[in-house]
Amino acid sequence: MISQEMNDLITQITPGTPAGNLMRHYWHPAALSDELKINRPVVPVRLLGEDLVLFRNREGELGLIQRACPHRGADMCYGRLEEKGLRCPFHGWHFNNSGHCTEQPGEPEGSRMHEKIKAKAYHVVEKNGIIFAYMGPGKPPEFPDFDCFRAPESHVFAFKGLWECNWLQALEVGIDPAHASFLHRFLQDEDPAESYGKQFRDKAADTEIPMTRLLREYPRPDINVEDTDYGMRIIALRHLNDGRTHVRVTNQIFPEAISIPMSREMIITQWHVPVDDENCYWYSMFTSFAKPVDKELMRSQRLNEHTLPAYSPKKNIRNNYGYDAKEQEELTYTGMGLDINVHDQWAVESMGRIQDRTQEHLGKTDTAIIAYRRKLRAAIQALENGNQKALPMQNQVDPGSIQGPISNDTLSFDGDWRKSYTEADTYRREACEDWDATINS
C-alpha cells in the first residue's frame, strides 16, 4: 500500500505536476506517421494533458502547436494548411511550424503586433513510423541508439491503441513477468490462429515445450531487477524439471516504455503514453531482425481490432471485452479471446481510471513494480532539487551511445543466464539480415 498523496504524485502528469514536469524532459510518441498520410495532414493530439494540433505543412515539415488559437481560442485543427504553417479561419492569423505568428491580415497596415504573438509549440521528430514530441525546457535530449530506431524503415512496423486508464498501471503490466502464467494462459497448446499473442503459443526458446505449457507448469519465476543507464533490466527465470532454466529478459526504458521479445526474430518496443491522467495510448514498434516486415498484413490485422480515428479497441469495457464463459472453461484463462493485448487491457482498465494503490498488497513477484516506483519517485525528487543530470538517460552517459537494449527469451544450460541471453542475442544478430547493408542499399 501507498498513501493517496504518493499515488497522486506518481500518476498525475498534467502541466505543473511533479511527474508531469519530469515527463516533459523526455521524448514521447505523439502520433503515428500513418495518421498524417491523408489529403489534409492535420490531426488533433492530446498529450500529457495538453490539447495540441499536429500538422505537416506544404513543404513536408512537421509542426506541433497549441490547439487553441492565441487570438480568441478558436480550434486550430480547422486551420487552413498553407506554406510554412497553419492559418486560423476566424481572423486569418498565420502561425508557422515554430508557433510564431507571421501575419495578422485584419490588423492595421504596418502593425508589428504579430511579432509579440507566439503559440505554444513543441519539437517533433519522425522515427520509423512514429512522430515523437519533446514538450520540456531547453534542448531536447538525444535519442538512444535503440534497435527500433536504427533499424531500416522496412524492418519496423508501428501501431497504437487507446486504453481508458492511467499510464502508470498500463506500464506496470509490462514489467510484471509473473502475470503471463495466468492472464495469458492458454488451456490448449496448438496454435489456432495468428494474433498478437502468437508468441505465447510458439515453442519456448530452444525447447520442444510450447510456451503455453511452460507458462502453465512454471508459474513461479525467480525475478531479478538490475538498474541500467536506460532504466531497468528485468530477468524472469523459470527453472525446468530437467535442470535447464528458461530466461526471459524485459527492459523498462524510462520513463514509460518497455522492450520485450516477441520471437527469435522480433522485439516489441512499447510506450505507455499519457493522454491525460485517466487515458493513455500504447505505441508499439515491432522490429524485425530478419526479413522486412509485412506492414500491410500487420496493419490490417490490427485495424480489424481497432476503430479509427481514435484507435480505440473494438473489445472494451462496454462489451465486456468479448468475454465468453465457455471459452474461459476450455481455451483461455480470461475468456476474452486470443489477443493478449485485450487481456492486458482488461487487467489495467478493470482497476479503474486511476488505480487506488492505497488498497493494493504487493508480493515478492512485484519486485520490478516496486523498483520502478522508487526510480520514478527518485527522478521526481532529483528534478525538484534541480539535479537534472541525475535523471535516467540524462546523466553522465551519452544517450546516443545506449544501444539495444537486449530483449529475448532463451534457455540456460549451466545456470548462467547472463551468458545465455547475450549469446542468444549474438546469434540473432549474426543469423539475421545485415541492417547496415539494407540501409546503405
Side-chain angles (χ1 to χ4, degrees):
M1 297 183 185
I2 60 175
S3 67
Q4 185 61 52
E5 180 182 15
M6 184 60 66
N7 199 36
D8 292 343
L9 176 71
I10 61 179
T11 57
Q12 296 177 359
I13 46 70
T14 51
T17 60
N21 293 338
L22 174 67
M23 286 286 192
R24 285 164 173 77
H25 283 74
Y26 293 87
W27 289 98
H28 302 278
L32 295 173
S33 299
D34 284 347
E35 295 179 74
L36 290 184
K37 293 178 181 177
I38 50 180
N39 291 333
R40 180 178 172 274
V42 180
V43 294
V45 168
R46 184 162 170 80
L47 181 60
L48 297 179
E50 297 187 37
D51 289 311
L52 310 167
V53 55
L54 174 69
F55 61 94
R56 196 187 299 275
N57 66 22
R58 291 180 179 175
E59 289 73 33
E61 301 165 335
L62 291 168
L64 181 66
I65 66 174
Q66 67 184 63
R67 186 167 177 175
C69 177
H71 181 202
R72 299 272 298 280
D75 188 350
M76 290 297 290
C77 281
Y78 295 90
R80 295 176 57 85
L81 189 63
E82 299 184 359
E83 294 182 2
K84 304 297 183 183
L86 280 177
R87 187 181 298 276
C88 180
F90 197 2
H91 293 90
W93 289 21
H94 182 278
F95 297 88
N96 64 18
N97 290 45
S98 300
H100 292 97
C101 184
T102 61
E103 292 180 17
Q104 294 171 306
E107 291 297 306
E109 189 75 30
S111 170
R112 300 181 62 180
M113 175 186 173
H114 66 275
E115 297 176 2
K116 302 176 182 179
I117 305 296
K118 186 178 186 300
K120 186 182 295 182
Y122 295 120
H123 298 275
V124 284
V125 65
E126 203 163 2
K127 294 275 189 179
N128 273 344
I130 295 179
I131 297 167
F132 288 81
Y134 175 73
M135 301 171 65
K139 182 180 177 182
E142 284 189 70
F143 275 84
D145 192 25
F146 288 159
D147 292 323
C148 60
F149 298 141
R150 69 182 188 86
E153 185 271 341
S154 58
H155 287 60
V156 179
F157 169 72
F159 201 73
K160 75 176 187 179
L162 178 67
W163 283 355
E164 298 178 55
C165 68
N166 183 259
W167 70 277
L168 183 58
Q169 60 218 57
L171 169 66
E172 288 180 342
V173 76
I175 57 174
D176 170 13
H179 84 275
S181 285
F182 303 95
L183 186 64
H184 305 317
R185 179 179 294 191
F186 291 86
L187 308 181
Q188 300 175 14
D189 293 329
E190 68 270 15
D191 184 6
E194 294 281 338
S195 78
Y196 187 53
K198 184 177 186 298
Q199 71 269 33
F200 286 102
R201 296 190 302 279
D202 281 345
K203 293 287 193 300
D206 302 317
T207 77
E208 291 304 313
I209 306 174
M211 193 68 175
T212 49
R213 179 180 154 200
L214 185 143
L215 290 173
R216 284 198 310 269
E217 296 184 359
Y218 301 95
R220 293 182 174 87
D222 289 337
I223 301 173
N224 301 295
V225 179
E226 294 184 345
D227 200 50
T228 68
D229 292 328
Y230 52 80
M232 303 188 314
R233 181 182 297 116
I234 303 159
I235 308 100
L237 307 176
R238 286 179 165 87
H239 305 292
L240 311 187
N241 292 335
D242 60 9
R244 297 177 296 175
T245 298
H246 181 263
V247 181
R248 184 173 176 87
V249 177
T250 298
N251 298 283
Q252 194 287 310
I253 301 168
F254 200 84
E256 89 275 57
I258 58 173
S259 178
I260 60 176
M262 183 174 183
S263 68
R264 176 59 64 87
E265 292 81 24
M266 182 172 285
I267 62 169
I268 304 174
T269 309
Q270 186 172 89
W271 291 260
H272 302 86
V273 184
V275 173
D276 48 38
D277 288 343
E278 296 189 345
N279 299 276
C280 66
Y281 275 108
W282 57 262
Y283 282 80
S284 286
M285 281 183 168
F286 298 78
T287 305
S288 172
F289 288 84
K291 61 185 179 181
V293 296
D294 187 339
K295 297 192 181 189
E296 290 309 311
L297 175 62
M298 297 180 76
R299 184 178 292 108
S300 64
Q301 288 174 335
R302 284 152 185 81
L303 286 177
N304 284 337
E305 300 161 356
H306 293 80
T307 301
L308 301 184
Y311 288 81
S312 53
K314 293 180 180 179
K315 288 186 177 181
N316 53 60
I317 192 171
R318 284 163 285 281
N319 55 28
N320 298 319
Y321 304 94
Y323 173 76
D324 183 281
K326 183 174 176 59
E327 178 198 311
Q328 191 174 37
E329 289 181 3
E330 300 176 355
L331 182 60
T332 67
Y333 208 66
T334 63
M336 298 176 187
L338 304 177
D339 186 346
I340 66 170
N341 212 38
V342 176
H343 307 169
D344 287 336
Q345 177 194 351
W346 164 80
V348 298
E349 289 186 350
S350 67
M351 300 173 183
R353 291 281 185 160
I354 302 178
Q355 180 192 355
D356 182 1
R357 292 173 177 80
T358 67
Q359 301 299 313
E360 71 179 359
H361 298 81
L362 299 182
K364 186 172 177 57
T365 53
D366 298 308
T367 181
I369 292 172
I370 295 169
Y372 174 78
R373 292 181 191 175
R374 287 173 177 166
K375 180 180 286 289
L376 177 61
R377 290 162 54 191
I380 291 172
Q381 188 62 57
L383 186 62
E384 290 186 336
N385 292 341
N387 187 11
Q388 184 175 336
K389 290 185 177 180
L391 303 185
M393 284 206 295
Q394 297 191 17
N395 50 28
Q396 301 303 318
V397 178
D398 174 16
S401 69
I402 304 177
Q403 297 186 340
I406 300 175
S407 303
N408 60 27
D409 60 321
T410 188
L411 274 184
S412 174
F413 296 89
D414 58 6
D416 188 346
W417 68 263
R418 194 180 304 277
K419 174 185 174 184
S420 298
Y421 102 111
T422 302
E423 288 179 348
D425 188 68
T426 300
Y427 170 81
R428 172 167 61 188
R429 293 171 188 275
E430 290 178 348
C432 295
E433 197 166 273
D434 187 338
W435 281 353
D436 293 332
T438 301
I439 294 172
N440 293 331
S441 65

